[in-house]
Amino acid sequence: QKEVEQNSGPLSVPEGAIASLNCTYSDRGSQSFFWYRQYSGKSPELIMFIYSNGDKEDGRFTAQLNKASQYVSLLIRDSQPSDSATYLCAVNIAEYGNKLVFGAGTILRVKS
Amino acid sequence: DAGVIQSPRHEVTEMGQEVTLRCKPISGHDYLFWYRQTMMRGLELLIYFNNNVPIDDSGMPEDRFSAKMPNASFSTLKIQPSEPRDSAVYFCASSRGTGWGYGYTFGSGTRLTVV
């Protein structure tokens, strides 16, 4: 089992819809969880960080964490074509010295 | 803050040649990471340093790859001899720490093509 798993997509949503991106992780000891956005040809950019169970909102973005289910998600409300990118989930994995381990990423396409 | 600075942005080299990639981390960041990204394998951690000391190089694919960090503001990743399968985007990232709450800041990357 991979440490951090994401559906590769692509996930296609119409403009204005809610995009839901999901991530599962294997290490129950993980304490912090990150979402990065990567535009084609660019570097990953940190957009959200969450460590407590529940929701964390930042503008149109909401990160959701459920440690019991080892599940973290990212919701993007009012999706815009400019949100089209690959979204990478990253998790601190204790057995790897708390390094961030990245998922393979989910491609999001927002159609206008 | 200038962010993480990598050079060159693009490198095209012939098989068998030596390639050196360079990185300047964010000032005050004690951790530096070298990643490689390909379509097939995604983002792979090659090696990371803490306070200029290599901590974990288990991701370095083979002896052709080496990395150094002579001081807190400079690191290099060297491939010698280079092979076509080394073609990828190489990212450098830095962070204040690892563990709870420490995300990484990535540089713009070096796109390496070995022909």
Side-chain angles (χ1 to χ4, degrees), chain B residues 33-74:
Chain B
F33 306 84
W34 281 101
Y35 283 88
R36 177 172 67 177
Q37 187 175 43
T38 61
M39 289 292 292
M40 290 296 294
R41 301 176 68 89
L43 201 58
E44 300 176 277
L45 177 63
L46 301 177
I47 185 171
Y48 81 96
F49 295 84
N50 178 24
N51 291 323
N52 315 335
V53 177
I55 303 300
D56 183 354
D57 65 354
S58 60
M60 297 286 260
E62 49 197 275
D63 292 344
R64 297 185 297 107
F65 286 69
S66 63
K68 294 182 180 180
M69 192 166 185
N71 56 61
S73 59
F74 184 66

Coordinates of all heavy atoms in Angstrom, one line a residue, chain B residues 33-74:
Chain B
F33 N 15.8 19.9 0.3 CA 15.3 18.7 -0.3 C 15.6 18.8 -1.8 O 15.3 19.8 -2.4 CB 13.9 18.5 0.0 CG 13.5 18.5 1.4 CD1 13.2 19.7 2.0 CD2 13.3 17.4 2.2 CE1 12.8 19.8 3.4 CE2 13.0 17.4 3.5 CZ 12.7 18.6 4.1
W34 N 16.0 17.7 -2.4 CA 16.1 17.5 -3.8 C 15.1 16.5 -4.2 O 15.0 15.3 -3.7 CB 17.5 17.1 -4.3 CG 18.5 18.2 -4.3 CD1 19.5 18.4 -3.4 CD2 18.7 19.1 -5.3 NE1 20.2 19.5 -3.8 CE2 19.7 20.0 -5.0 CE3 18.0 19.4 -6.5 CZ2 20.2 21.0 -5.8 CZ3 18.4 20.5 -7.3 CH2 19.5 21.3 -6.9
Y35 N 14.2 16.9 -5.2 CA 13.2 16.0 -5.7 C 13.4 15.9 -7.2 O 13.9 16.7 -7.9 CB 11.8 16.6 -5.5 CG 11.2 16.4 -4.1 CD1 11.5 17.4 -3.1 CD2 10.4 15.4 -3.8 CE1 10.9 17.3 -1.9 CE2 9.9 15.2 -2.5 CZ 10.2 16.2 -1.5 OH 9.6 16.1 -0.3
R36 N 12.9 14.7 -7.7 CA 12.8 14.5 -9.2 C 11.3 14.2 -9.5 O 10.7 13.4 -8.8 CB 13.7 13.4 -9.6 CG 13.6 13.0 -11.0 CD 14.7 12.0 -11.4 NE 14.4 10.7 -10.8 CZ 15.2 9.6 -11.1 NH1 16.3 9.7 -11.9 NH2 14.9 8.4 -10.5
Q37 N 10.8 14.8 -10.6 CA 9.5 14.6 -11.0 C 9.4 14.1 -12.4 O 9.9 14.7 -13.3 CB 8.6 15.9 -10.8 CG 7.1 15.6 -11.1 CD 6.3 16.8 -10.8 OE1 6.6 18.0 -11.1 NE2 5.1 16.6 -10.1
T38 N 8.7 13.0 -12.6 CA 8.4 12.5 -14.0 C 7.0 12.1 -14.0 O 6.3 11.9 -13.0 CB 9.3 11.2 -14.3 OG1 9.0 10.2 -13.3 CG2 10.8 11.5 -14.2
M39 N 6.5 11.9 -15.2 CA 5.1 11.5 -15.4 C 4.8 10.2 -14.8 O 3.8 9.9 -14.2 CB 4.7 11.5 -16.9 CG 4.6 12.9 -17.5 SD 3.2 13.8 -16.9 CE 1.9 12.9 -17.6
M40 N 5.8 9.3 -15.0 CA 5.6 7.9 -14.6 C 5.7 7.7 -13.1 O 4.9 6.9 -12.5 CB 6.7 7.0 -15.3 CG 6.5 6.8 -16.7 SD 4.9 6.0 -17.1 CE 5.3 4.4 -16.4
R41 N 6.6 8.4 -12.4 CA 6.9 8.2 -11.0 C 6.5 9.3 -10.1 O 6.6 9.2 -8.9 CB 8.4 7.9 -10.9 CG 8.9 6.7 -11.7 CD 10.4 6.5 -11.6 NE 10.8 6.1 -10.2 CZ 10.8 4.8 -9.8 NH1 10.6 3.9 -10.6 NH2 11.2 4.6 -8.6
G42 N 6.0 10.4 -10.7 CA 5.6 11.5 -9.8 C 6.7 12.2 -9.2 O 7.8 12.2 -9.7
L43 N 6.5 12.7 -8.0 CA 7.5 13.5 -7.2 C 8.3 12.5 -6.3 O 7.7 12.0 -5.4 CB 6.8 14.6 -6.5 CG 7.5 15.8 -6.0 CD1 8.1 16.5 -7.2 CD2 6.5 16.7 -5.2
E44 N 9.5 12.4 -6.6 CA 10.4 11.5 -5.8 C 11.4 12.2 -5.0 O 12.1 13.1 -5.6 CB 11.1 10.5 -6.7 CG 10.3 9.6 -7.6 CD 11.3 8.8 -8.5 OE1 11.7 9.3 -9.5 OE2 11.6 7.7 -8.1
L45 N 11.5 12.0 -3.7 CA 12.6 12.6 -2.9 C 13.9 11.9 -3.1 O 14.0 10.6 -3.0 CB 12.2 12.5 -1.4 CG 13.2 13.1 -0.4 CD1 13.4 14.6 -0.7 CD2 12.8 12.8 1.0
L46 N 14.9 12.6 -3.5 CA 16.2 12.0 -3.8 C 17.1 12.0 -2.5 O 17.7 11.0 -2.1 CB 16.9 12.8 -4.9 CG 16.2 12.8 -6.2 CD1 17.0 13.6 -7.3 CD2 15.9 11.4 -6.8
I47 N 17.2 13.2 -1.9 CA 18.1 13.4 -0.7 C 17.6 14.6 0.0 O 17.0 15.5 -0.6 CB 19.5 13.5 -1.2 CG1 20.5 13.6 0.0 CG2 19.7 14.8 -2.1 CD1 22.0 13.5 -0.4
Y48 N 17.9 14.7 1.3 CA 17.6 15.9 2.0 C 18.7 16.2 3.0 O 19.4 15.2 3.5 CB 16.3 16.0 2.6 CG 16.0 15.3 3.9 CD1 16.1 16.0 5.1 CD2 15.6 13.9 4.0 CE1 15.8 15.3 6.3 CE2 15.4 13.3 5.2 CZ 15.4 14.0 6.3 OH 15.2 13.4 7.5
F49 N 18.9 17.4 3.3 CA 20.0 17.9 4.2 C 19.3 18.7 5.4 O 18.3 19.3 5.3 CB 20.9 18.9 3.5 CG 21.7 18.4 2.4 CD1 21.1 18.2 1.1 CD2 23.0 18.0 2.6 CE1 21.9 17.7 0.0 CE2 23.7 17.5 1.5 CZ 23.2 17.3 0.3
N50 N 20.0 18.6 6.6 CA 19.6 19.4 7.7 C 20.9 20.1 8.2 O 21.9 19.4 8.5 CB 19.0 18.5 8.8 CG 18.7 19.3 10.1 OD1 18.5 20.5 10.0 ND2 18.6 18.6 11.2
N51 N 20.8 21.4 8.2 CA 22.0 22.2 8.6 C 23.2 21.7 7.8 O 24.3 21.5 8.4 CB 22.2 22.0 10.1 CG 21.2 22.7 10.9 OD1 20.7 23.8 10.5 ND2 20.8 22.1 12.0
N52 N 23.1 21.6 6.5 CA 24.1 21.3 5.6 C 24.6 19.8 5.6 O 25.5 19.5 4.8 CB 25.3 22.2 5.7 CG 25.0 23.7 5.9 OD1 23.9 24.1 5.5 ND2 25.8 24.4 6.6
V53 N 24.0 19.0 6.5 CA 24.5 17.6 6.6 C 23.5 16.7 5.9 O 22.2 16.8 6.1 CB 24.6 17.2 8.1 CG1 24.9 15.8 8.2 CG2 25.6 18.1 8.8
P54 N 23.9 15.8 5.0 CA 23.0 14.9 4.4 C 22.4 13.9 5.4 O 23.1 13.3 6.1 CB 23.8 14.2 3.3 CG 25.2 14.3 3.8 CD 25.3 15.6 4.5
I55 N 21.1 13.9 5.4 CA 20.4 13.0 6.4 C 19.9 11.7 5.8 O 20.0 10.7 6.4 CB 19.2 13.8 7.1 CG1 19.7 15.1 7.7 CG2 18.5 12.9 8.1 CD1 20.7 14.9 8.8
D56 N 19.4 11.8 4.6 CA 18.8 10.6 4.0 C 19.0 10.7 2.5 O 18.4 11.6 1.9 CB 17.3 10.5 4.4 CG 16.6 9.3 3.8 OD1 17.3 8.5 3.1 OD2 15.4 9.0 4.1
D57 N 19.8 9.8 2.0 CA 20.0 9.8 0.5 C 19.5 8.5 -0.1 O 19.9 8.1 -1.2 CB 21.5 10.0 0.2 CG 22.3 8.8 0.7 OD1 21.8 7.9 1.4 OD2 23.5 8.8 0.4
S58 N 18.5 7.9 0.6 CA 18.0 6.6 0.1 C 17.3 6.7 -1.2 O 17.1 5.7 -1.9 CB 17.1 6.0 1.2 OG 16.0 6.8 1.5
G59 N 16.9 7.9 -1.5 CA 16.2 8.1 -2.8 C 17.1 8.3 -4.0 O 16.6 8.3 -5.1
M60 N 18.4 8.5 -3.8 CA 19.3 8.7 -4.9 C 19.4 7.4 -5.7 O 19.7 6.3 -5.2 CB 20.7 9.0 -4.3 CG 20.7 10.3 -3.6 SD 20.6 11.8 -4.7 CE 22.3 12.2 -4.7
P61 N 19.1 7.5 -7.0 CA 18.9 6.3 -7.8 C 20.1 5.4 -7.9 O 20.0 4.2 -7.9 CB 18.4 6.8 -9.1 CG 18.7 8.2 -9.1 CD 18.8 8.7 -7.8
E62 N 21.3 6.0 -8.0 CA 22.5 5.2 -8.2 C 23.7 6.1 -8.0 O 23.5 7.3 -7.7 CB 22.5 4.5 -9.5 CG 22.2 5.4 -10.7 CD 21.8 4.7 -11.9 OE1 22.7 4.2 -12.7 OE2 20.6 4.5 -12.2
D63 N 24.9 5.4 -8.0 CA 26.1 6.2 -7.7 C 26.4 7.3 -8.7 O 27.2 8.1 -8.4 CB 27.3 5.2 -7.7 CG 27.2 4.2 -6.5 OD1 26.4 4.5 -5.6 OD2 27.9 3.2 -6.5
R64 N 25.7 7.3 -9.8 CA 25.9 8.4 -10.7 C 25.4 9.8 -10.2 O 25.8 10.8 -10.7 CB 25.2 8.1 -12.1 CG 25.7 6.9 -12.8 CD 25.1 6.7 -14.1 NE 23.6 6.5 -14.0 CZ 22.7 7.4 -14.3 NH1 23.1 8.6 -14.8 NH2 21.4 7.2 -14.2
F65 N 24.6 9.7 -9.2 CA 24.0 10.9 -8.6 C 24.8 11.2 -7.3 O 25.0 10.3 -6.5 CB 22.5 10.7 -8.2 CG 21.6 10.7 -9.4 CD1 21.6 9.6 -10.3 CD2 20.7 11.7 -9.6 CE1 20.8 9.6 -11.4 CE2 19.8 11.7 -10.7 CZ 19.9 10.7 -11.6
S66 N 25.1 12.5 -7.1 CA 25.7 12.9 -5.8 C 25.2 14.3 -5.5 O 24.8 15.1 -6.4 CB 27.2 12.9 -5.9 OG 27.7 13.8 -6.9
A67 N 25.1 14.7 -4.3 CA 24.6 16.0 -3.8 C 25.5 16.5 -2.7 O 26.0 15.7 -1.9 CB 23.2 15.9 -3.4
K68 N 25.7 17.8 -2.7 CA 26.5 18.4 -1.7 C 25.8 19.7 -1.2 O 25.0 20.3 -1.9 CB 27.9 18.8 -2.2 CG 28.8 17.6 -2.6 CD 30.1 18.1 -3.1 CE 31.0 16.9 -3.5 NZ 32.3 17.3 -4.0
M69 N 26.1 20.1 0.0 CA 25.7 21.4 0.5 C 26.8 22.0 1.3 O 26.9 21.8 2.5 CB 24.4 21.2 1.4 CG 23.7 22.5 1.7 SD 22.1 22.2 2.4 CE 21.6 24.0 2.5
P70 N 27.7 22.7 0.7 CA 28.9 23.2 1.3 C 28.6 24.3 2.4 O 29.4 24.5 3.3 CB 29.7 23.8 0.2 CG 28.7 24.0 -0.9 CD 27.7 23.0 -0.8
N71 N 27.5 25.0 2.2 CA 27.1 26.0 3.2 C 25.6 26.1 3.2 O 24.9 25.5 2.4 CB 27.8 27.3 2.9 CG 27.5 27.8 1.5 OD1 26.4 28.1 1.2 ND2 28.5 28.0 0.7
A72 N 25.1 27.0 4.1 CA 23.6 27.1 4.3 C 22.9 27.7 3.1 O 21.7 27.7 3.1 CB 23.4 27.9 5.6
S73 N 23.6 28.3 2.2 CA 22.9 29.0 1.1 C 23.2 28.4 -0.2 O 22.8 29.0 -1.3 CB 23.4 30.5 1.1 OG 24.8 30.6 0.9
F74 N 23.7 27.2 -0.3 CA 24.0 26.6 -1.6 C 24.1 25.1 -1.6 O 24.7 24.5 -0.7 CB 25.4 27.2 -2.1 CG 25.8 26.7 -3.5 CD1 25.0 27.2 -4.6 CD2 26.9 25.9 -3.7 CE1 25.4 26.8 -5.9 CE2 27.2 25.5 -5.0 CZ 26.5 26.0 -6.1

